[in-house]
Amino acid sequence: MKKSALNLTVLAALALGTASAQTTIKIASLSPLSGGQSDLGTQIRNGTQLAVNEYKAQFKKLGFDLVLVPYDDQADPATGTAAARKIAADRQILAVVGTLNSGVAIPSSAALQPSHVAMVSPANTANSVTDRGLSNMNRIVARDDSQGPAGANFISGTLKAKSVYLINDKTAYGEGLTKEVEKALKASGVTVIATEGTEEKSDFSSIIAKIKLQKPDAIYFGGIYNQVGVFIKQLREGGVATPVVGGDGLDSGELPVIVGTANANNIYFTTVAAPIDALPAAKVFAANYKKTFKDDVQGFGAFGYDAAKVVLQGTLNAVRANGNKLPSRTQVEKAIRKGSFTGLLSGNVSFNSVGDRKAGTLYVMNVTAGKFKLSTSIPVKAPKN
């Protein structure tokens, strides 16, 4: 082959490579895939993967290869922020599904905002996630100022508790949620005996000793299942049968495993992610999840799927509005914030001006003998428009 012909071949190959790169659209997931909260984080990643699988054909028809790129944030703000910077640097990534933890979402979304990479969270509840007014941050679940009062009303109304001991895990999620619970409890005349934060993961003897001394009617722990589960196990082994109430951080099948079936009683939690049997449209999805991942889907798997469908439909809307050409990140960001999304497991989704879901549902779950049972569901609306 002549040198000129060889050069033309090389140039053609490079051109093809560039064209191929331009037709790839990546969606990232950002959640804990390792560490103590990986059960929920993996559910979010898997739900996102199923949505991507469903949408591949639609993107293919428009000339795009749709790819999921999962990132592990280890439920750690620094790790999540580092991953967000990698996401921002990969220009093929147009949007993100995540995170699980509000404390990770806040710095990660801030790191992504200058690049206009949209995030749709299936789990973040802290008020400050959207109160910052970032154009790229959205969520499909209720906020702490909805979930907190719901938990407090359950404690004062259903449990009829007159005194409560409050604990939080010292994260943006746990502190924010517990603060809202405390505010609502005091407004309803319930005595808050104590409120304390702890990062303890293995030995809760000092807190349990105080609880035994104070004898509250109920305990509220704003935290995540891997920490709260150990606390409940030690509490029950210490002979304390007092009801323990928490937020959606307890919404994991691993909770009764950690507590132990014999001790997994008189536990309640509010959750923003519906139990699968409370979602009429989820039966086929649950079967598909089981077949694909050889595991049972949980609420955050379904909400990961819904958040991903919002991301993917928003991206498709941006593609079509751009004459079926590759849209910019800013176009995708705007299409997600302004879109109306139907056909989701949890109902229709649209966002207000700060990225909160305009209308959603909270669920109160009861754990008895290690089994989760829906106690009640509460419709909620975003406090801002």
Side-chain angles (χ1 to χ4, degrees), residues 220-238:
Y220 189 92
F221 199 142
I224 306 295
Y225 69 91
N226 59 322
Q227 179 191 30
V228 183
V230 176
F231 165 77
I232 297 173
K233 182 177 189 293
Q234 293 178 8
L235 184 75
R236 297 296 186 245
E237 288 173 347

Side-chain angles (χ1 to χ4, degrees), residues 311-335:
V311 162
L312 294 166
Q313 190 57 56
T315 304
L316 273 179
N317 292 347
V319 168
R320 288 166 179 150
N322 198 41
N324 290 341
K325 295 177 182 178
L326 184 69
S328 68
R329 286 170 163 179
T330 301
Q331 287 172 317
V332 172
E333 178 188 61
K334 289 179 178 177

Side-chain angles (χ1 to χ4, degrees), residues 2-355:
K2 290 182 179 179
K3 188 175 180 180
S4 58
L6 179 61
N7 288 340
L8 285 171
T9 303
V10 171
L11 287 170
L14 287 171
L16 283 170
T18 304
S20 175
Q22 289 175 340
T23 59
T24 298
I25 289 179
K26 296 178 183 177
I27 300 299
S29 64
L30 184 59
S31 62
L33 303 178
S34 60
Q37 298 177 36
S38 59
D39 179 50
L40 298 185
T42 300
Q43 287 273 331
I44 290 171
R45 190 272 316 274
N46 289 352
T48 303
Q49 182 66 68
L50 290 182
V52 167
N53 293 350
E54 285 183 22
Y55 274 74
K56 272 182 175 289
Q58 292 185 60
F59 278 84
K60 203 74 174 176
K61 284 180 183 177
L62 296 170
F64 300 104
D65 182 26
L66 181 65
V67 177
L68 171 65
V69 187
Y71 284 83
D72 180 8
D73 63 32
Q74 299 175 22
D76 174 65
T79 304
T81 304
R85 292 194 182 103
K86 290 179 182 176
I87 290 169
D90 185 346
R91 301 299 303 179
Q92 292 178 322
I93 298 176
L94 297 186
V96 180
V97 175
T99 61
L100 172 66
N101 307 90
S102 295
V104 178
I106 291 166
S108 298
S109 57
L112 291 170
Q113 200 275 334
S115 301
H116 296 280
V117 180
M119 290 182 71
V120 178
S121 171
N124 302 145
T125 63
N127 298 341
S128 54
V129 168
T130 50
D131 278 353
R132 296 166 301 148
L134 298 187
S135 59
N136 66 320
M137 185 72 235
N138 313 276
R139 58 174 148 202
I140 63 168
V141 292
R143 298 159 45 109
D144 283 346
D145 49 11
S146 293
Q147 186 175 189
N153 291 342
F154 180 80
I155 290 169
S156 61
T158 304
L159 297 183
K160 301 191 183 308
K162 301 298 182 187
S163 62
V164 182
Y165 197 104
L166 300 179
I167 311 169
N168 71 78
D169 64 1
K170 288 191 170 183
T171 68
Y173 164 74
E175 286 182 345
L177 182 57
T178 307
K179 184 178 179 181
E180 293 293 340
V181 170
E182 181 177 11
K183 192 190 306 180
L185 285 173
K186 288 179 175 178
S188 61
V190 176
T191 300
V192 174
I193 291 175
T195 179
E196 66 176 292
T198 179
E199 295 175 312
E200 180 58 55
K201 297 291 193 297
S202 59
D203 182 5
F204 294 93
S205 56
S206 62
I207 296 176
I208 291 170
K210 286 183 275 187
I211 288 170
K212 285 182 174 181
L213 190 65
Q214 299 284 357
K215 295 183 171 60
D217 295 329
I219 300 161
Y220 189 92
F221 199 142
I224 306 295
Y225 69 91
N226 59 322
Q227 179 191 30
V228 183
V230 176
F231 165 77
I232 297 173
K233 182 177 189 293
Q234 293 178 8
L235 184 75
R236 297 296 186 245
E237 288 173 347
V240 181
T242 305
V244 177
V245 184
D248 55 306
L250 305 193
D251 191 1
S252 168
E254 289 297 303
L255 177 69
V257 175
I258 296 168
V259 176
T261 304
N263 292 322
N265 293 293
N266 218 8
I267 304 168
Y268 305 88
F269 61 88
T270 54
T271 181
V272 294
I276 296 302
D277 56 8
L279 298 172
K283 192 173 289 185
V284 173
F285 166 75
N288 191 20
Y289 189 102
K290 179 83 169 181
K291 181 181 177 182
T292 305
F293 302 109
K294 309 297 185 282
D295 191 16
D296 291 325
V297 69
Q298 299 173 44
F300 284 114
F303 274 65
Y305 173 79
D306 273 4
K309 288 190 76 170
V310 168
V311 162
L312 294 166
Q313 190 57 56
T315 304
L316 273 179
N317 292 347
V319 168
R320 288 166 179 150
N322 198 41
N324 290 341
K325 295 177 182 178
L326 184 69
S328 68
R329 286 170 163 179
T330 301
Q331 287 172 317
V332 172
E333 178 188 61
K334 289 179 178 177
I336 289 172
R337 176 62 61 86
K338 294 178 179 179
S340 295
F341 306 97
T342 59
L344 307 180
L345 300 177
S346 62
N348 299 340
V349 167
S350 58
F351 300 110
N352 64 11
S353 62
V354 297

